[in-house]
Amino acid sequence: MKVNTGTMQRKVKLQFYTEVSVYNVDEEPHNAQKKTITSDLSHPLIIMTHQSQWTDAQSKVLLSDFNCGSTMTWTQFHNLLHKTYFLIFAKECSTSKTFRMLSPQDLDFIKKKLGNESYITTGLFTSFWDWFGKVLYQVHNPRYYAFWLKGVIYGFVTRQESEYLLEEKPNGTFLVRFSENMAGKLAISYKDKEGVHHYLLSKRIKENAFSIA
């Protein structure tokens, strides 16, 4: 949801209601009783005034899922990530014949990013989201999503793991992954006769193309 007035990034919940007229089929409509049907409160959301607010807004919404604002187990956390990921890409899921969920390999990478901790604190989540939120923001961009969906972007893999994957491949083989240190940036790992090299991809907006930084 996007509006033209500021909300100071506050979490809100929506509730909908409608009024209906109820009467038996053998009664006259003018004898109908008016009843109001009210929905349950929605999941917390934040109204944005600009797309650049998405990462911070999503972080605040997710923090509301922590137990008493403190910690959750790794199992609870990766279930939350699955749910969040699905909700973010719900529109793409409904219009595409294929859909790419977070794989066990992706979750293994994420757990390592969180220090292999069994319990995720709000502080640990906030630090992690500074990186992961920017990644999801880029994947959600229509210019990136098709590459992600088709597997052109290999995804969540470390620099060391990419070297292992490319080690026995022919020269000229490469993979595109998310940079571990530059949040929201794509990196390319490229194999040649001298070994595996790593470069950041820099987007040239005017040309709608990528170049190696």
Side-chain angles (χ1 to χ4, degrees), residues 59-72:
S59 173
K60 292 177 181 178
V61 170
L62 287 174
L63 281 171
S64 66
D65 285 285
F66 275 78
N67 297 327
C68 302
S70 53
T71 64
M72 65 171 60

Side-chain angles (χ1 to χ4, degrees), residues 102-119:
L102 294 174
S103 68
Q105 177 182 301
D106 294 332
L107 291 171
D108 183 59
F109 175 95
I110 289 169
K111 189 172 185 180
K112 290 176 183 176
K113 196 77 175 172
L114 289 162
N116 285 313
E117 297 289 343
S118 298
Y119 290 89

Side-chain angles (χ1 to χ4, degrees), residues 80-153:
L80 175 62
L81 282 183
H82 272 302
K83 181 182 76 172
T84 301
Y85 179 91
F86 182 80
L87 290 174
I88 289 172
F89 296 101
K91 179 180 178 181
E92 288 80 1
C93 180
S94 64
T95 58
S96 176
K97 294 182 180 180
T98 58
F99 185 65
R100 181 175 177 180
M101 290 296 295
L102 294 174
S103 68
Q105 177 182 301
D106 294 332
L107 291 171
D108 183 59
F109 175 95
I110 289 169
K111 189 172 185 180
K112 290 176 183 176
K113 196 77 175 172
L114 289 162
N116 285 313
E117 297 289 343
S118 298
Y119 290 89
I120 312 303
T121 64
T122 53
L124 190 58
F125 164 77
T126 300
S127 176
F128 164 74
W129 190 259
D130 285 341
W131 180 84
F132 190 69
K134 292 181 175 66
V135 169
L136 285 188
Y137 177 79
Q138 292 294 359
V139 173
H140 191 244
N141 186 322
R143 294 176 177 174
Y144 286 84
Y145 182 71
F147 295 128
W148 168 252
L149 184 64
K150 295 176 182 179
V152 176
I153 299 176

Side-chain angles (χ1 to χ4, degrees), residues 1-2 22 56 59 66 102 111 124 161 175-176 190:
M1 182 180 294
K2 189 174 181 180
V22 181
D56 288 339
S59 173
F66 275 78
L102 294 174
K111 189 172 185 180
L124 190 58
E161 289 168 343
L175 63 82
V176 179
Y190 174 78

